[in-house]
Amino acid sequence: MPERIGIIGLGLMGKPMAHNLLRAGFPLTVYNRSPPAIDALAAAGARPATSPREVAAHSDIVITMLPDAPDVLGVILGEHGVIAGGNAGLLLIDMSTIAPSATHAAAAQLAAHGMRMLDAPVSGGDVGAINATLSIMVGGTAEDLARAQPVLAALGTTITHCGPNGAGQVVKACNQLAVALHYAAAAEALVLGARAGVAPEVILRVLGGGLAQSRAMDLRGPTMAVHQFTPGGKAKFHHKDLGIVLDLARSHGAVLPFTALAGQLYTALLQHGGGDLDHSALLLEIERLSGIVAPEA
Amino acid sequence: MPERIGIIGLGLMGKPMAHNLLRAGFPLTVYNRSPPAIDALAAAGARPATSPREVAAHSDIVITMLPDAPDVLGVILGEHGVIAGGNAGLLLIDMSTIAPSATHAAAAQLAAHGMRMLDAPVSGGDVGAINATLSIMVGGTAEDLARAQPVLAALGTTITHCGPNGAGQVVKACNQLAVALHYAAAAEALVLGARAGVAPEVILRVLGGGLAQSRAMDLRGPTMAVHQFTPGGKAKFHHKDLGIVLDLARSHGAVLPFTALAGQLYTALLQHGGGDLDHSALLLEIERLSGIVAPEA
Amino acid sequence: MPERIGIIGLGLMGKPMAHNLLRAGFPLTVYNRSPPAIDALAAAGARPATSPREVAAHSDIVITMLPDAPDVLGVILGEHGVIAGGNAGLLLIDMSTIAPSATHAAAAQLAAHGMRMLDAPVSGGDVGAINATLSIMVGGTAEDLARAQPVLAALGTTITHCGPNGAGQVVKACNQLAVALHYAAAAEALVLGARAGVAPEVILRVLGGGLAQSRAMDLRGPTMAVHQFTPGGKAKFHHKDLGIVLDLARSHGAVLPFTALAGQLYTALLQHGGGDLDHSALLLEIERLSGIVAPEA
Amino acid sequence: MPERIGIIGLGLMGKPMAHNLLRAGFPLTVYNRSPPAIDALAAAGARPATSPREVAAHSDIVITMLPDAPDVLGVILGEHGVIAGGNAGLLLIDMSTIAPSATHAAAAQLAAHGMRMLDAPVSGGDVGAINATLSIMVGGTAEDLARAQPVLAALGTTITHCGPNGAGQVVKACNQLAVALHYAAAAEALVLGARAGVAPEVILRVLGGGLAQSRAMDLRGPTMAVHQFTPGGKAKFHHKDLGIVLDLARSHGAVLPFTALAGQLYTALLQHGGGDLDHSALLLEIERLSGIVAPEA
């Protein structure tokens, strides 16, 4: 008999994940801060709950998919939180992207109550959540991961054990800095080409065919070239993630000058109203600096 | 009957290209500043020449494959140069990586003597030159490219017409900045992982499986992780190329803060004796900044 | 009759400040985490205390001079803290350099207990603390500043009301970024000169005589030139301060690419063991990048 | 009897310098590409010339004050240039700001014709030129400088022998990078203050009173705060100068990440139409990045 699953956070990512868990046959209890999302899942067969505590009381495994560390810590540690409602042995899988230090804090509190934790941030975006093709980066013990495997298998196609608690978040941090810098590379190549009179399709074709290829440029280069920035991953979340990356780097003594610069330019993008655009809109900042008109922003 | 080909510059790239042209059946005249390279090609069936002028006198199409703009301009414009020896109608194909402004200067001088020019820089490295799998970025007229096509087809697999003279060099510039930034991304991801306790193979596996993938990281990430920097493309040439990129950007009003930073770090790499390492050795500079010992450099 | 003063934190800065307060005739209660510093002040006439709470119980005005925000918040809010021991009307003057957001949090907690707060970070270093020539940047109400004036006048020569609570910390943040960038400017000028064959004394003399003058270069240029990095302000504190600056910038939407780069290079300096050197040792990082041997570090 | 002086280049700087030389009693021959400037000096007592060659023919010492290296080299080496008209023993004093490598090239050509050269770039701007208070950075032999001394004394108040030919230009390069970074520091401090709610006059007052002081901020901070960018030194010339700095650094292996970033932001300023503003308008780029409206540009 499958374990009883709870999920807390039914946003752009959490909602399709919940549907995939129902589809896979897991008994599911759901909670979200704003109630309509709960009702929609209830209509699909989930048990609605009125607090994280209630989710925990009816679950063996609780998944959290929330915006940032304060949300995760609040949901776990709060008066009506997971620790208040769960039994010893409960396994919390935090699939949010948060600072590894927050992961360690949460895991320690859970352990003090006999509960287990995995950090399991994802990449693949809302499309990956919908299609259950997420890439999942897992930090925690091999034993806990083995227990979580059937659940994670309903959500993604690539599940990687990265190391102990926090390691999943570290790898997600590495992923996010690389994606940001790949967009920076595409942006500077396109802007130099534009300024020097070469069409973007030529640049994308040649670069994509050789050592300069990147998946970010493959997927988003053509939409960048026409200023189509429907997300995908939102710039404001990438901005948040780079904050996590840079804090992590700072506390561990990693010197990341390129990522630091990217962090500043994502702040600029948010200042210019681009937070809800796709993260590839970093292009707009290089274009603004270069005096190229960016009509829609 | 095939056109008579000349090639000037028989270095790491030019030498295997010359062999490929012989193999394809072209009558070939060769020149190199240092004579032994000429002798080796002569032994393989090429006609040895004692100056660029002599090459031009025996060729319909002359290929130059030289380190930088002064070499190319010297070979074309010098007393014993191509213009001094060639007939009207000669087509010069410069496959060196030089500044687009130097391309324009050379093309104008050649045109004044009734000669034609294509800029046709390549990517793919010495392996691509040996296997005739280069990617060739061509600037010039469609007519000249059509004439050059059989020759270029003996040297590479991807031939892209980028625009008028100089456009090939512009696209090469875009390519080089993107490659440098992809190495920067890989370097910062690996260093952050190292500092935060995650094994490089985990980082490379996860990033390579998703939006953070790049060919530079696919090919060179594993060798970067073990500090194996046998070139491939040498850091000193990438350093030279970024100088071209940044001058081009400056003169055209493209603002490239990431590439400017990369240019500084490649200078640092050369200062630390890394000029003959593979360009992926940019990793060493991020490691040095982060206080990670880089034993071999 | 003068108000009774307490001071918590008797380090490099707090200790000479305490002596200056005694010298000015204020009744003084002192606390420090490590007891020997308390004994030394007690011998000079101060009342020793065993906790921040005890300091507060015997003081009308309490000064805190501590390393970072968690220390300040702990001393104010902890079980044996200022709020636990102080009377309504107590004025807390925090002269530490901490994040403005932490200032706001502390001020709110104090206000809830009828207590007042000024943020009053300083510049001028240990020499300024000893000579009572500190520059003090004050955030809070004009009324509270008027009350604090006699106390602050015993500690510094320049007292500036910057705005409401937090504004003192904001100005200190601006100060610290400017100092870091002035050291960066001096470092790059000296390194360029060294590489291009001009003696540092020539560079410092010419730059100091014109528009390129800065006090940081005036005071520290000659010691930088001979690699004498006895602090003054320690690099590790400047590193901490730049973390505050960059977090503040991030949360308020200020884009500071130069400061972000400085933050990375101070991290590098700490990684290379330079945390206890003077902050002007940023020079060593530019020298390391440029392959100039930095013998003592 | 004083030596006969020639001056080539009667722009914003050269014109007041010519007047100062007349005022000091030197026999003066003048040339400028655009004739009206010649007529104005002729009316004041100078001998007008129709070419650099004619200037040289009537002068013992020739001063050049021109925009960039190609102008200087053209005036010296051209068909109607200084070498064509001057006698052996002529001393050329180039007071333009150009690349040290161009200085070396010019000095070598002059030496081959028995002529002497000093590089003597200046700081102090048009105000310094008018008031004869320039700071003059001299490269060349002590003997040539001794000969030039009476002439330079009529133009500036601080004359520094920096080393052999080129050393004056190197020191000027160091000066220009420091000034740019001091404006960057002022800009980031003002923008952080603006975003975090502190008035610019508070920031400038506090920073100017301590270790964060710089002459650039003293003089230009108040005008930056009200967006008054009447030059002073024009942004487009500072942009040109940073190009010289970065080329010099690159060829000598000096790694200057801060200056490289400044170079990019000055390019941005020019792209936004700010080339004729004062160089302190670098502020506008930090404000643009931060989403602060910059009404006048």
Side-chain angles (χ1 to χ4, degrees):
Chain A
M1 190 172 113
E3 298 207 79
R4 296 169 304 156
I5 312 300
I7 183 162
I8 297 169
L10 302 170
L12 205 63
M13 298 293 288
K15 183 181 155 183
M17 289 162 62
H19 281 291
N20 285 330
L21 290 167
L22 284 175
R23 213 166 285 139
F26 289 102
L28 187 69
T29 304
V30 299
Y31 175 74
N32 194 55
R33 202 156 57 171
S34 130
I38 303 179
D39 299 343
L41 261 297
R47 185 184 196 292
T50 60
S51 71
R53 181 165 62 178
E54 189 183 336
V55 171
H58 292 83
S59 303
D60 306 305
I61 294 177
V62 174
I63 292 169
T64 46
M65 191 54 158
L66 296 161
D68 204 350
D71 311 288
V72 173
L73 294 173
V75 149
I76 294 173
L77 307 174
E79 195 184 349
H80 304 286
V82 169
I83 286 177
N87 295 315
L90 180 144
L91 172 62
L92 186 127
I93 308 175
D94 178 34
M95 303 186 76
S96 322
T97 295
I98 66 171
S101 58
T103 299
H104 292 132
Q109 291 288 325
L110 287 161
H113 293 82
M115 301 181 192
R116 312 289 310 163
M117 180 167 176
L118 294 172
D119 49 301
V122 304
S123 71
D126 55 342
V127 172
I130 292 167
N131 299 338
T133 57
L134 293 169
S135 170
I136 307 176
M137 297 153 246
V138 183
T141 67
E143 193 183 354
D144 288 337
L145 174 52
R147 180 176 165 198
Q149 196 75 36
V151 182
L152 298 180
L155 300 173
T157 42
T158 309
I159 299 161
T160 307
H161 190 198
C162 300
N165 270 144
Q169 297 293 355
V170 168
V171 175
K172 178 71 188 279
C174 295
N175 191 79
Q176 293 307 80
L177 83 80
V179 170
L181 295 180
H182 293 174
Y183 283 135
E188 294 202 347
L190 288 169
V191 164
L192 180 59
R195 278 292 183 215
V198 176
E201 51 273 17
V202 171
I203 293 169
L204 295 173
R205 179 154 32 103
V206 173
L207 272 58
L211 185 56
Q213 178 274 348
S214 75
R215 193 158 302 149
M217 206 189 297
D218 288 347
L219 293 178
R220 277 297 184 171
T223 51
M224 291 165 80
V226 297
H227 280 188
Q228 197 268 70
F229 296 119
T230 312
K234 288 190 179 182
K236 67 184 175 192
F237 295 129
H238 216 112
H239 178 250
K240 182 211 76 168
D241 293 353
L242 292 182
I244 292 171
V245 173
L246 290 165
D247 285 349
L248 179 66
R250 184 180 165 79
S251 64
H252 283 75
V255 177
L256 309 182
F258 293 93
T259 303
L261 182 56
Q264 295 299 315
L265 290 179
Y266 272 105
T267 299
L269 180 56
L270 266 61
Q271 290 304 109
H272 294 133
D276 286 314
L277 300 180
D278 187 70
H279 39 170
S280 61
L282 186 60
L283 171 68
L284 293 174
E285 292 310 313
I286 303 297
E287 290 191 338
R288 279 196 192 94
L289 283 166
S290 302
I292 298 175
V293 178
E296 78 277 52
Chain B
M1 191 173 115
E3 299 207 77
R4 297 169 303 155
I5 312 298
I7 183 163
I8 297 169
L10 301 171
L12 206 62
M13 298 294 289
K15 182 181 156 185
M17 289 162 61
H19 281 292
N20 285 331
L21 290 168
L22 284 175
R23 213 165 287 137
F26 289 101
L28 188 69
T29 304
V30 299
Y31 175 74
N32 192 56
R33 200 156 60 171
S34 131
I38 303 178
D39 300 343
L41 261 298
R47 184 184 196 294
T50 60
S51 70
R53 180 166 61 178
E54 188 183 337
V55 172
H58 292 82
S59 303
D60 305 305
I61 295 179
V62 173
I63 292 170
T64 46
M65 193 53 159
L66 297 161
D68 206 349
D71 311 288
V72 173
L73 294 174
V75 150
I76 294 173
L77 307 175
E79 193 184 352
H80 304 285
V82 170
I83 286 178
N87 294 316
L90 180 144
L91 172 62
L92 185 128
I93 308 176
D94 178 35
M95 303 187 77
S96 322
T97 295
I98 65 171
S101 58
T103 299
H104 291 133
Q109 291 288 325
L110 287 161
H113 293 81
M115 301 181 191
R116 313 289 311 163
M117 178 168 177
L118 294 172
D119 49 302
V122 304
S123 71
D126 55 343
V127 172
I130 292 166
N131 298 339
T133 57
L134 293 169
S135 171
I136 308 176
M137 297 154 246
V138 183
T141 67
E143 192 183 352
D144 289 336
L145 174 52
R147 180 176 164 197
Q149 196 75 37
V151 182
L152 299 180
L155 301 173
T157 42
T158 310
I159 299 161
T160 307
H161 189 197
C162 300
N165 269 144
Q169 297 293 354
V170 168
V171 174
K172 177 71 188 280
C174 294
N175 190 79
Q176 293 307 80
L177 83 81
V179 170
L181 294 179
H182 292 173
Y183 283 136
E188 294 202 348
L190 288 169
V191 165
L192 180 59
R195 278 293 183 212
V198 176
E201 49 274 17
V202 171
I203 292 169
L204 294 174
R205 180 152 31 102
V206 173
L207 272 58
L211 185 56
Q213 177 274 350
S214 74
R215 193 158 302 151
M217 205 189 299
D218 288 348
L219 293 178
R220 278 296 185 172
T223 51
M224 290 165 81
V226 296
H227 279 188
Q228 197 269 69
F229 296 118
T230 313
K234 287 190 178 181
K236 67 183 175 192
F237 296 129
H238 216 112
H239 177 251
K240 182 211 77 168
D241 292 353
L242 291 182
I244 293 171
V245 172
L246 289 165
D247 286 349
L248 179 66
R250 183 179 165 79
S251 64
H252 283 75
V255 178
L256 309 182
F258 292 93
T259 303
L261 182 56
Q264 295 299 313
L265 290 179
Y266 271 105
T267 299
L269 181 56
L270 266 61
Q271 290 304 110
H272 295 135
D276 286 314
L277 301 180
D278 187 70
H279 40 168
S280 61
L282 186 61
L283 171 68
L284 294 174
E285 292 310 312
I286 302 297
E287 291 191 338
R288 279 196 191 94
L289 283 166
S290 302
I292 297 174
V293 178
E296 76 278 49
Chain C
M1 192 172 112
E3 299 207 78
R4 298 170 303 155
I5 311 299
I7 183 162
I8 298 169
L10 301 170
L12 206 63
M13 299 294 288
K15 182 181 158 184
M17 288 163 62
H19 282 291
N20 285 330
L21 290 168
L22 284 174
R23 213 165 287 137
F26 289 102
L28 188 69
T29 304
V30 301
Y31 175 74
N32 192 57
R33 200 156 59 173
S34 132
I38 303 180
D39 299 343
L41 262 297
R47 185 185 197 294
T50 60
S51 70
R53 181 165 61 179
E54 189 183 337
V55 171
H58 292 82
S59 303
D60 305 304
I61 295 178
V62 174
I63 292 170
T64 46
M65 192 52 158
L66 296 162
D68 204 349
D71 311 288
V72 173
L73 294 174
V75 150
I76 294 173
L77 307 174
E79 193 184 350
H80 304 285
V82 169
I83 285 177
N87 294 315
L90 180 143
L91 171 63
L92 186 127
I93 308 176
D94 178 34
M95 303 186 76
S96 322
T97 295
I98 66 171
S101 58
T103 298
H104 291 132
Q109 291 288 325
L110 287 161
H113 293 81
M115 302 180 192
R116 312 289 310 163
M117 180 167 176
L118 294 172
D119 48 303
V122 303
S123 70
D126 55 343
V127 172
I130 292 167
N131 298 338
T133 56
L134 293 170
S135 171
I136 309 175
M137 298 154 247
V138 183
T141 67
E143 193 183 352
D144 289 336
L145 173 53
R147 181 177 165 197
Q149 196 75 37
V151 182
L152 299 180
L155 301 173
T157 43
T158 309
I159 299 161
T160 306
H161 190 197
C162 300
N165 269 147
Q169 297 293 355
V170 168
V171 175
K172 177 70 187 280
C174 294
N175 191 80
Q176 293 306 81
L177 82 82
V179 170
L181 294 180
H182 292 173
Y183 284 135
E188 294 202 347
L190 288 169
V191 165
L192 179 59
R195 278 294 183 212
V198 176
E201 49 273 19
V202 171
I203 293 169
L204 295 174
R205 180 154 31 103
V206 173
L207 271 58
L211 185 57
Q213 178 273 350
S214 75
R215 193 157 301 150
M217 207 190 297
D218 288 347
L219 293 177
R220 277 298 184 171
T223 52
M224 291 166 80
V226 296
H227 279 188
Q228 198 268 69
F229 296 118
T230 313
K234 288 191 178 180
K236 68 183 174 192
F237 295 130
H238 216 112
H239 178 250
K240 183 211 74 169
D241 293 352
L242 291 181
I244 293 172
V245 172
L246 290 165
D247 286 349
L248 179 66
R250 184 180 165 77
S251 65
H252 283 75
V255 177
L256 309 182
F258 293 93
T259 303
L261 183 56
Q264 295 300 314
L265 290 179
Y266 271 105
T267 299
L269 180 56
L270 266 62
Q271 290 304 111
H272 295 134
D276 286 314
L277 300 181
D278 186 70
H279 38 169
S280 61
L282 186 61
L283 171 68
L284 293 173
E285 292 309 313
I286 302 297
E287 290 191 338
R288 280 196 191 94
L289 282 166
S290 302
I292 298 174
V293 179
E296 78 276 52
Chain D
M1 192 173 111
E3 298 207 78
R4 296 170 304 155
I5 312 299
I7 183 162
I8 298 169
L10 301 171
L12 205 63
M13 298 295 289
K15 183 182 156 183
M17 289 164 61
H19 282 291
N20 285 330
L21 290 167
L22 285 175
R23 213 166 285 138
F26 289 102
L28 187 69
T29 303
V30 300
Y31 174 74
N32 193 55
R33 201 156 58 171
S34 131
I38 303 179
D39 299 342
L41 261 298
R47 184 185 197 294
T50 59
S51 70
R53 180 165 61 177
E54 188 184 337
V55 172
H58 293 83
S59 303
D60 305 304
I61 296 178
V62 174
I63 294 169
T64 46
M65 192 54 159
L66 296 161
D68 205 350
D71 311 288
V72 173
L73 294 174
V75 149
I76 294 173
L77 307 174
E79 194 185 350
H80 304 286
V82 169
I83 286 178
N87 294 315
L90 180 144
L91 171 62
L92 185 126
I93 308 175
D94 178 35
M95 304 186 76
S96 322
T97 296
I98 66 171
S101 58
T103 298
H104 291 133
Q109 291 288 325
L110 287 161
H113 293 81
M115 302 180 193
R116 311 290 310 163
M117 179 166 176
L118 294 172
D119 49 303
V122 304
S123 71
D126 56 342
V127 172
I130 292 167
N131 298 338
T133 56
L134 292 169
S135 171
I136 308 175
M137 297 154 246
V138 183
T141 67
E143 193 183 354
D144 289 336
L145 173 53
R147 179 176 165 199
Q149 196 76 35
V151 182
L152 298 180
L155 301 173
T157 42
T158 309
I159 299 161
T160 306
H161 190 198
C162 300
N165 269 146
Q169 297 293 355
V170 168
V171 175
K172 177 70 187 279
C174 294
N175 190 79
Q176 293 307 81
L177 83 81
V179 170
L181 295 180
H182 292 173
Y183 283 135
E188 295 202 347
L190 287 170
V191 164
L192 180 59
R195 278 292 182 215
V198 176
E201 50 273 18
V202 172
I203 292 169
L204 295 174
R205 180 152 32 101
V206 173
L207 272 57
L211 185 56
Q213 177 274 349
S214 75
R215 192 158 302 152
M217 207 189 298
D218 288 347
L219 293 177
R220 277 297 183 170
T223 51
M224 290 165 81
V226 296
H227 279 187
Q228 198 270 68
F229 295 119
T230 313
K234 288 191 178 181
K236 67 183 175 192
F237 296 129
H238 216 112
H239 177 251
K240 182 210 77 170
D241 293 353
L242 291 181
I244 293 171
V245 172
L246 290 165
D247 286 349
L248 178 66
R250 183 180 165 79
S251 64
H252 283 74
V255 178
L256 309 183
F258 293 93
T259 303
L261 182 56
Q264 295 299 315
L265 290 180
Y266 271 104
T267 299
L269 181 55
L270 266 61
Q271 289 304 109
H272 295 134
D276 287 313
L277 299 181
D278 186 72
H279 39 167
S280 61
L282 186 60
L283 171 67
L284 294 174
E285 292 310 312
I286 303 298
E287 291 191 337
R288 280 196 191 94
L289 283 166
S290 302
I292 297 175
V293 178
E296 78 277 54

